[in-house]
Amino acid sequence: MPSPKAKTPGRGSPVLGGSNGRYEFMSLTKPLCRSSPPPPPLLLLQRQGSDPTTARLRVSESPTRRRGSGSSSSTGSAPQPPPEEDDGIRLNPSFVRVALSSLLAIDLWMSKRLGVCACEDSSWGSVRPLMKLIEVSGHGIPWLAGSAYCLYKSDSAAGQEVMLNLLLGLLLDLILVGIVKAVVRRRRPAHNRMDMFATFSVDRFSFPSGHATRAAMCGRFLLAHLVLAAPLRVLVLLWAGLVGLSRVMLGRHNVTDVMFGFWMGYFQYNLVEMLWLSAQTLQGLMGQSA
């Protein structure tokens, strides 16, 4: 006698006919059909007549939720990796940083190429003694000693006024250059030989060039108060330029050190003019000292 066919369950029936004639209960997590997505657990629990609050609690206690909470708690206070957008922003340097890095690379390359008198074995090593003579001509000690001697030997009040302000300008230059060098603390080029004339502790730093600041400031001072003849004015400008060039050729400074030194010395003269001591002030100071 043929076995009766299993009755196809209706829509929403909780059972399905098995191949062996037995009935199997559907799993609540399996979809009813291939085309329709599985209903959420909350809806299934509501169909079974559960309370909505209890259904929410059961959903929150599902294995998936517990696994997620367990993984988050297991990490503890471990640092979270930054988002991908932050990584992209951090890995892409700004335009200003790229420009400064490029200028620095060009500065180091030019300084090394122009350091042709850095040692006796360099391509222009035979010119090194002449460059060192120009170096001494821009040193602070000869200028301080010469200004003090001219101030002592001067007979006129106008000459004493000029020499006194030149001496004060040289002292101001030493103070400002020393402060900037101590703040910036840029090392001298690697190809430099520390055989400079009368160096001090701050002279191991390179930025800015004290010779360049002194040459620019003294050049403007001489052109404004002491040198009037055109040929001598040309010589003063040539001397200032050679002092700056000798710093790079001897390997003492980078190109930017000399360029900033010229700019700084140019404006130092404006500060000297602002703090100018007149002849009357000088006579008052000399009278009080007497």
Side-chain angles (χ1 to χ4, degrees):
M1 182 175 180
S3 61
K5 295 182 179 180
K7 186 178 179 181
T8 304
R11 189 177 183 86
S13 175
V15 294
L16 287 175
S19 59
N20 54 1
R22 293 182 300 176
Y23 292 93
E24 296 178 356
F25 284 92
M26 285 180 55
S27 175
L28 294 178
T29 59
K30 291 182 179 180
L32 296 178
C33 58
R34 294 180 180 274
S35 60
S36 61
L42 180 58
L43 181 59
L44 289 175
L45 292 173
Q46 286 180 353
R47 286 180 181 176
Q48 296 176 4
S50 300
D51 182 61
T53 306
T54 307
R56 293 192 189 95
L57 292 175
R58 289 179 181 177
V59 171
S60 63
E61 295 174 358
S62 61
T64 307
R65 296 292 184 109
R66 287 198 297 270
R67 283 196 299 269
S69 61
S71 61
S72 61
S73 61
S74 63
T75 55
S77 60
Q80 299 295 332
E84 295 182 0
E85 295 181 359
D86 295 344
D87 291 342
I89 294 175
R90 186 171 61 254
L91 294 176
N92 293 329
S94 63
F95 174 77
V96 177
R97 185 177 300 179
V98 172
L100 291 177
S101 301
S102 302
L103 290 176
L104 179 61
I106 295 173
D107 176 34
L108 296 177
W109 176 78
M110 290 183 60
S111 303
K112 189 172 182 179
R113 295 284 293 179
L114 293 175
V116 293
C117 301
C119 59
E120 290 79 2
D121 299 335
S122 302
S123 57
W124 287 25
S126 58
V127 193
R128 182 177 172 84
L130 177 60
M131 292 293 104
K132 293 190 69 174
L133 180 61
I134 298 176
E135 177 185 56
V136 174
S137 69
H139 199 278
I141 292 179
W143 278 92
L144 288 171
S147 300
Y149 180 79
C150 292
L151 175 63
Y152 175 74
K153 286 295 184 178
S154 181
D155 296 332
S156 62
Q160 293 177 354
E161 176 183 355
V162 171
M163 288 296 105
L164 176 63
N165 286 277
L166 178 59
L167 184 62
L168 293 178
L170 292 170
L171 293 175
L172 180 64
D173 173 73
L174 290 176
I175 294 173
L176 294 180
V177 171
I179 292 174
V180 176
K181 282 188 174 183
V183 171
V184 179
R185 305 177 70 88
R186 185 184 187 183
R187 294 291 180 179
R188 292 187 180 271
H191 55 278
N192 174 48
R193 293 179 57 185
M194 293 301 295
D195 57 347
M196 294 178 289
F197 170 74
T199 58
F200 299 94
S201 60
V202 76
D203 289 331
R204 68 179 182 272
F205 302 122
S206 176
F207 185 90
S209 170
H211 283 69
T213 59
R214 193 173 302 110
M217 191 270 295
C218 293
R220 288 195 65 187
F221 194 98
L222 294 176
L223 294 178
H225 299 284
L226 294 175
V227 179
L228 301 178
L232 294 179
R233 296 173 73 88
V234 173
L235 289 178
V236 169
L237 293 175
L238 182 62
W239 166 80
L242 286 177
V243 168
L245 182 62
S246 67
R247 309 309 291 159
V248 182
M249 295 180 65
L250 288 171
R252 310 296 195 199
H253 294 277
N254 297 307
V255 176
T256 51
D257 302 336
V258 176
M259 293 178 63
F260 185 84
F262 279 140
W263 178 84
M264 183 175 174
Y266 184 88
F267 287 99
Q268 276 181 359
Y269 175 76
N270 296 339
L271 186 59
V272 172
E273 289 289 337
M274 291 174 57
L275 303 176
W276 188 270
L277 295 178
S278 61
Q280 293 78 10
T281 305
L282 178 60
Q283 290 176 1
L285 293 175
M286 294 181 65
Q288 291 178 1
S289 61

